[in-house]
Amino acid sequence: MPPNERAEKQAAAQQAVDILHEIATILNCHLDRRTLSICISMIENGVNPEALAAVIKELRQEGQGGQIDAAAAAASSSTRRR
Amino acid sequence: MAHLAHLGALTGDLVAAVTAIPENQTARRDEYRDAILQSLRSHRFTRTNQFEVEKHLRGLEEHFHVLGRDALGEALRQRLNAIEPHRTQFTPEILHFLLELADQPVKKSNISD
């Protein structure tokens, strides 16, 4: 890919992340730009968004003294219908 | 294998970003990373329904307006319009992810943020 085209694609990707971060702020998701960027990459690599959100919530609780095993239990025991 | 390695690396980055585990505690970070990878592989959540996501976002926008938080409702609408030219097959799932993490935005969000 020509360097100019690569730079344009990177700029567009950055702009998309910026907009998504603004949406995350409006929704009060408590996500900094770096964490959001990592999560976007994980979703683009096939990670289920609900499972990822459950993991984030558990990691945050763990930071307040929760148990990491609950993350596996929460993600594997929940069945959601839409 | 390369894909799993990449996902493992991303998960490691996530642990570093979200937890306060010091960088030198690699064994502990690795333990978290491996537990997360296991839970992400064994979950029972269903696939994202993009129509439900759109419905949820429209509802939220209306809710902002109904409760007099018009600036936030308008800001959300503007950002959703702005993401359209950048839309990919993953955009509904990313928005679904954000909705799952939303923390009472109608009550707690501030336009100044």
Side-chain angles (χ1 to χ4, degrees):
Chain A
M1 185 185 293
N4 280 351
E5 199 177 318
R6 191 182 303 127
E8 279 177 17
K9 281 198 173 235
Q10 279 178 349
Q14 288 299 314
Q15 192 178 14
V17 174
D18 287 340
I19 296 167
L20 287 165
H21 186 235
E22 288 169 2
I23 293 172
T25 302
I26 293 167
L27 297 182
N28 201 33
C29 296
H30 308 291
L31 285 171
D32 59 48
R33 200 183 180 288
R34 180 189 171 212
T35 306
L36 174 61
S37 189
I38 294 167
C39 292
I40 290 170
S41 294
M42 291 179 77
I43 291 168
E44 290 174 344
N45 275 275
V47 170
N48 178 283
E50 277 190 273
L52 183 56
V55 160
I56 297 273
K57 289 174 191 174
E58 192 56 40
L59 282 175
R60 287 172 175 171
Q61 278 192 344
E62 178 64 21
Q64 295 167 12
Q67 295 291 327
I68 191 64
D69 288 348
S76 64
S77 66
S78 296
T79 302
R80 303 280 283 268
R81 287 177 183 272
R82 292 207 182 271
Chain B
M1 284 300 277
H3 171 259
L4 284 176
H6 183 50
L7 195 54
L10 287 170
T11 306
D13 291 343
L14 184 68
V15 171
V18 178
T19 70
I21 301 172
E23 205 170 320
N24 59 359
Q25 291 188 19
T26 48
R28 197 165 159 221
R29 281 192 173 187
D30 289 349
E31 188 186 322
Y32 273 66
R33 181 202 62 204
D34 294 343
I36 289 166
L37 283 169
Q38 177 61 31
S39 72
L40 290 176
R41 277 198 285 266
S42 61
H43 75 87
R44 290 187 190 175
F45 294 111
T46 55
R47 290 176 66 94
T48 292
N49 180 324
Q50 71 172 65
F51 303 108
E52 285 294 323
V53 170
E54 285 168 13
K55 185 177 164 187
H56 193 160
L57 286 165
R58 274 200 305 274
L60 202 50
E61 195 187 329
E62 280 175 30
H63 203 180
F64 277 132
H65 286 297
V66 164
L67 291 183
R69 309 209 68 190
D70 297 301
L72 278 168
E74 186 55 37
L76 179 59
R77 175 41 47 195
Q78 283 178 357
R79 282 8 177 244
L80 291 172
N81 289 342
I83 202 67
E84 279 304 309
H86 302 278
R87 192 176 185 89
T88 69
Q89 66 186 102
F90 299 108
T91 301
E93 290 179 310
I94 296 166
L95 292 172
H96 185 183
F97 167 71
L98 295 180
L99 286 169
E100 286 293 319
L101 286 182
D103 176 15
Q104 302 181 68
V106 178
K107 186 176 166 185
K108 296 183 181 178
S109 292
N110 288 308
I111 195 65
S112 56
D113 293 340

